[in-house]
Amino acid sequence: MEEALSKVPPVTLAFWIVKIFATTLGETGGDALSMQLNLGYAVSTLIFLAFFIVTLIGQVASRHYHPVFYWAVVVATTTVGTTTSDYIDRTLGMGYVKSSAMLLALVIIILVIWRAITGHIVVDHVVARRDEIFYWVTILVSNTLGTALGDFTADTGLGFQGGALVFAALLAVVAVLHYTRKVPTPILFWAAYVLTRPLGATLGDTLTKPYAQGGLNLNRITSSIVIAILMVVLISVTSLRKRGIRKSVAEQT
């Protein structure tokens, strides 16, 4: 039976820790360009969109999971998601509630179409090109949704630390449901993927926002570099550094 290497890493605890690092980096990196370098949301979105396209081409062209390509795309989707969400919420004036509802509906629509076209929704054994396209489109929209949710909770009076606690608690609920095996794995995976984005966003804001806004007022560029280094170290010392595991192509069709 023909086998192929999966193009995404196995979903482990290390995966989720690195994912949180990546989403935090997306928040600090996005804000570094749009705010600290004063490029604005529209220009920053275009820059990160170009970065996303370049890294995605590398990921799609790869014949197996490659840590550099995969996590570069994840970071790219978080930075694009940060600036895109800010553009929708603030520049277009849609607001957090409307934008969150719109993006949530879009994530659900994408997953429904994915299931209707392929007959499945894969999370850690991506081999087929159609699955890979749906995978990354869902991630891009999910990260944009997560940014809006994080900003919404921060503005409701919870603050950045309060928002981080809320999303951490929701992730704990998802983890419990995973171990009870009462909810399909794809649903829990994408729920966790959405929730890790606002967790990373609120953590990033906690690090870099001014004291008056409840942050630690750390430099956005310096924070981004430190987080990126932590990501590289964690990937290097865990199973995430390994190539994609083998998966029967017949199981993907």
Side-chain angles (χ1 to χ4, degrees):
M1 183 178 292
E2 184 182 1
E3 291 186 337
L5 287 171
S6 176
K7 300 190 68 176
V8 300
V11 180
T12 62
L13 178 60
F15 173 91
W16 291 115
I17 294 174
V18 174
K19 169 60 166 60
I20 293 171
F21 277 148
T23 55
T24 306
L25 175 58
E27 183 70 18
T28 57
D31 287 346
L33 258 67
S34 62
M35 297 180 183
Q36 187 164 337
L37 298 181
N38 202 30
L39 296 180
Y41 300 126
V43 173
S44 297
T45 297
L46 292 175
I47 292 174
F48 288 128
L49 183 59
F51 175 57
F52 168 68
I53 292 173
V54 171
T55 55
L56 184 61
I57 290 173
Q59 165 67 20
V60 172
S62 177
R63 299 182 63 182
H64 57 78
Y65 162 69
H66 193 292
V68 173
F69 294 148
Y70 179 86
W71 291 107
V73 181
V74 172
V75 171
T77 61
T78 61
T79 52
V80 171
T82 296
T83 54
T84 300
S85 176
D86 289 341
Y87 181 75
I88 294 172
D89 296 334
R90 301 169 188 175
T91 304
L92 297 183
M94 184 173 289
Y96 300 130
V97 176
K98 290 182 180 179
S99 64
S100 296
M102 178 190 71
L103 290 166
L104 175 60
L106 186 55
V107 169
I108 294 173
I109 290 171
I110 293 171
L111 292 176
V112 169
I113 294 174
W114 187 355
R115 172 76 179 183
I117 292 178
T118 66
H120 56 238
I121 299 175
V122 293
V123 296
D124 63 353
H125 294 300
V126 176
V127 174
R129 181 61 55 83
R130 286 189 304 180
D131 286 327
E132 187 173 18
I133 292 173
F134 276 114
Y135 182 89
W136 288 113
V137 171
T138 308
I139 284 179
L140 179 60
V141 180
S142 296
N143 282 331
T144 306
L145 167 61
T147 302
L149 289 174
D151 290 339
F152 172 70
T153 55
D155 280 1
T156 57
L158 289 174
F160 304 125
Q161 294 90 340
L165 290 175
V166 167
F167 293 116
L170 291 173
L171 281 169
V173 172
V174 172
V176 171
L177 290 174
H178 169 69
Y179 287 108
T180 61
R181 300 186 182 279
K182 294 183 178 180
V183 180
T185 297
I187 293 177
L188 294 177
F189 175 85
W190 290 111
Y193 215 99
V194 170
L195 291 172
T196 51
R197 180 64 191 100
L199 176 59
T202 50
L203 290 175
D205 286 335
T206 299
L207 292 173
T208 61
K209 293 297 184 183
Y211 296 121
Q213 296 181 23
L216 298 177
N217 200 35
L218 300 178
N219 183 276
R220 293 185 177 96
I221 295 177
T222 302
S223 298
S224 299
I225 293 173
V226 171
I227 295 169
I229 292 173
L230 291 175
M231 280 184 62
V232 171
V233 171
L234 187 55
I235 291 170
S236 300
V237 299
T238 65
S239 61
L240 296 178
R241 71 182 185 277
K242 299 178 181 178
R243 293 185 174 187
I245 59 177
R246 291 195 175 279
K247 180 71 173 179
S248 170
V249 172
E251 296 179 41
Q252 294 288 326
T253 58

